[in-house]
Amino acid sequence: PQYDPAKAKQLAQEYEAETGKPLEFEYVARDDTLSLRDAQFFVKNWTDAGMKVTLKGYAQTQLIAQTATGNYQLSEWRLFGMPDPDADSYFWRSSSIVPAPGVSLNFPRYSSPEVDAALDTAVGTTDEATPAQAYTTLQDNFGKNVPYLWLGRTDWMMAATPSVNGM
């Protein structure tokens, strides 16, 4: 979905009109300075749209536990940055779902036969064009059903100098 604050406000108002309650949720994030700064940015935007958002910060290990056990409504997460999506595919498979409060690698516990078939196609071939087509199907499904909401990108890197031995 595209960023559309007016539409978000409209949908929040529609939700409140239908339920008699404001659209309310808890957003969990890492409790370090940069993560909380980013989280506060998102909370302000959601609040401006008429949503009632409670921000709760956790240490990284606690955030992982909360999210993997399904004890969250919306969780900040930095993952899925591999150049080849095959490496992240187990996070998206229906077979990775464990009911809460068990530890599930499919964090939103999103099940889709279309996603599973796309993943099987992508990892089951040596043809270079087929995985790209399969991951397009997966992306289209995620865009339509929104089990994940990508709000940013984390670039990972390793840096060293010649004085670091063994690099």
Side-chain angles (χ1 to χ4, degrees):
Q2 295 294 318
Y3 177 68
D4 188 342
K7 182 71 172 178
K9 190 172 219 167
Q10 174 194 337
L11 291 171
Q13 290 170 344
E14 288 175 13
Y15 177 87
E16 188 165 352
E18 289 174 17
T19 66
K21 298 182 281 187
L23 179 56
E24 184 175 0
F25 58 92
E26 182 179 84
Y27 177 38
V28 295
R30 288 183 320 277
D31 65 358
D32 63 84
T33 304
L34 292 177
S35 295
L36 288 176
R37 180 202 64 193
D38 292 346
Q40 289 166 353
F41 169 81
F42 294 122
V43 168
K44 181 184 180 326
N45 283 280
W46 294 321
T47 302
D48 289 348
M51 300 172 208
K52 186 176 177 184
V53 184
T54 303
L55 174 61
K56 192 167 188 180
Y58 286 104
Q60 178 76 18
T61 54
Q62 292 174 314
L63 180 66
I64 292 168
Q66 293 293 319
T67 305
T69 58
N71 191 20
Y72 72 100
Q73 292 176 310
L74 180 66
S75 178
E76 173 223 31
W77 203 259
R78 55 179 186 193
L79 198 56
F80 313 136
M82 300 299 290
D84 182 349
D86 289 359
D88 291 325
S89 65
Y90 54 91
F91 289 104
W92 304 323
R93 291 187 176 279
S94 298
S95 60
S96 296
I97 297 172
V98 175
V103 173
S104 181
L105 293 179
N106 181 326
F107 301 125
R109 291 164 168 80
Y110 176 67
S111 179
S112 167
E114 181 182 42
V115 168
D116 292 336
L119 291 170
D120 289 343
T121 299
V123 301
T125 184
T126 57
D127 174 57
E128 290 186 22
T130 301
Q133 294 166 348
Y135 284 122
T136 296
T137 298
L138 179 136
Q139 289 175 323
D140 290 345
N141 181 292
F142 282 0
K144 178 181 169 191
N145 296 298
V146 197
Y148 300 93
L149 182 61
W150 277 269
L151 299 173
R153 177 182 168 96
T154 300
D155 292 317
W156 300 94
M157 69 176 154
M158 182 185 301
T161 67
S163 63
V164 176
N165 294 325
M167 295 296 283

